[in-house]
Amino acid sequence: MRLEDFENEDERVIRDRMKQKTWNEIRSNDSWAIFKIMAEFVNGFETMGRIGPCVSIFGSARTKPDHKHYLLTEKIAYSISKAGYGVITGGGPGIMEAGNKGAHAGGGTSVGLNIELPFEQHFNPYIDSDKNLNFDYFFVRKVMFVKYSQGFVVMPGGFGTLDEMFEAITLIQTKKVAKFPVILVDREFWSGLFDWVKATLVEKYQTVSPGDLDLIRMVDTEEEVVQVLDNFYKKYTLSPNF
């Protein structure tokens, strides 16, 4: 087997181009990419700075509109918007669409932070027209999620959802961002993972402190989500309309 046998067309094109370029040329292209990265940050900051208090909703792009997680996400987003928060999603289909749809139905701010992906990403129709951003860089997009969210609601999803969830938890744990609620929806889905975290990372290997698990709340209903958000911001004498 050769490396080429596992490559897709884009990877083949990149490999062929790299063969034709010197190392200095490659480094020069990296330097020019800084300006594109800066442009994404500037556009993101200017747009997101005007959205008001919001909660980010994460979850699978593959969830179908008739699935229980899609329907529950729609209810959660509706309840969040009625409680005074806007909703930020990744702007695509599945759970993201459900989040924007619920926020739109509730009359709340509906934000989409989209990114080009090979097989599953496209804008959904429930995003406010002036709050629909597109990104090339995952790390710029992640900054927007964290910087402009008053909480994270994490629905069942795959690797991307896990990445976003653990990054948020890590940033709070290390005090790189202010503490905010991280709410995992569907105890049945999440409990196995966090049973392993507790038994293996906390108790057996002590690579995670017991108190770090206090950053996470597991719930099953839209009422519980809103209650966690309200309780958190009452404790810190803040409200979604500050």
Side-chain angles (χ1 to χ4, degrees):
M1 285 289 197
R2 303 168 303 161
L3 174 64
E4 288 86 342
D5 295 328
F6 297 95
E7 294 177 327
N8 61 34
E9 185 59 32
D10 289 339
E11 291 167 333
R12 240 178 251 113
V13 170
I14 292 170
R15 178 173 51 80
D16 291 342
R17 285 178 180 171
M18 287 184 69
K19 285 180 179 178
Q20 300 168 15
K21 291 184 177 181
T22 66
W23 178 243
N24 285 336
E25 287 175 319
I26 294 170
R27 288 197 301 178
S28 175
N29 287 344
D30 287 344
S31 299
W32 281 105
I34 291 172
F35 294 100
K36 188 174 182 181
I37 293 166
M38 287 174 59
E40 288 201 354
F41 272 120
V42 170
N43 185 44
F45 290 155
E46 288 187 347
T47 301
M48 299 295 285
R50 299 190 294 267
I51 63 171
C54 284
V55 173
S56 288
I57 298 179
F58 298 122
S60 176
R62 308 183 193 199
T63 305
K64 302 302 181 187
D66 59 350
H67 194 280
K68 66 176 184 178
H69 290 147
Y70 184 106
L71 300 173
L72 179 56
T73 304
E74 195 175 340
K75 291 178 182 178
I76 288 169
Y78 179 88
S79 296
I80 286 173
S81 68
K82 288 300 184 184
Y85 300 90
V87 170
I88 304 172
T89 80
I95 294 298
M96 295 174 281
E97 178 181 287
N100 290 125
K101 186 176 180 181
H104 183 76
T109 299
S110 182
V111 182
L113 308 181
N114 208 288
I115 193 164
E116 292 295 327
L117 295 177
F119 58 91
E120 63 187 25
Q121 190 80 353
H122 56 78
F123 284 121
N124 70 66
Y126 302 104
I127 303 166
D128 295 343
S129 60
D130 60 337
K131 298 176 180 67
N132 194 351
L133 285 81
N134 198 44
F135 296 89
D136 284 325
Y137 296 96
F138 264 110
F139 66 91
V140 179
R141 182 179 182 238
K142 283 182 179 180
V143 169
M144 302 304 152
F145 274 122
V146 175
K147 182 173 176 60
Y148 294 101
S149 293
Q150 276 66 55
F152 280 2
V153 173
V154 190
M155 301 299 296
F159 287 141
T161 302
L162 292 174
D163 173 51
E164 289 158 338
M165 175 187 69
F166 280 118
E167 175 149 354
I169 294 169
T170 300
L171 289 170
I172 298 170
Q173 175 205 41
T174 55
K175 296 181 170 52
K176 293 298 182 182
V177 298
K179 187 175 181 180
F180 54 77
V182 178
I183 307 165
L184 312 186
V185 180
D186 192 339
R187 288 183 176 92
E188 182 182 6
F189 182 90
W190 293 109
S191 59
L193 172 62
F194 282 92
D195 286 345
W196 174 83
V197 168
K198 184 177 180 182
T200 304
L201 304 186
V202 175
E203 296 174 359
K204 185 174 181 179
Y205 292 101
Q206 293 89 50
T207 54
V208 169
S209 300
D212 291 340
L213 297 185
D214 294 339
L215 299 172
I216 302 154
R217 292 287 181 272
M218 272 191 258
V219 305
D220 287 312
T221 68
E222 65 270 24
E223 292 88 358
E224 289 176 291
V225 171
V226 174
Q227 185 177 34
V228 171
L229 290 168
D230 283 346
N231 288 345
F232 180 88
Y233 283 105
K234 283 176 185 175
K235 178 180 177 182
Y236 288 92
T237 63
L238 298 171
S239 76
N241 297 312
F242 59 87

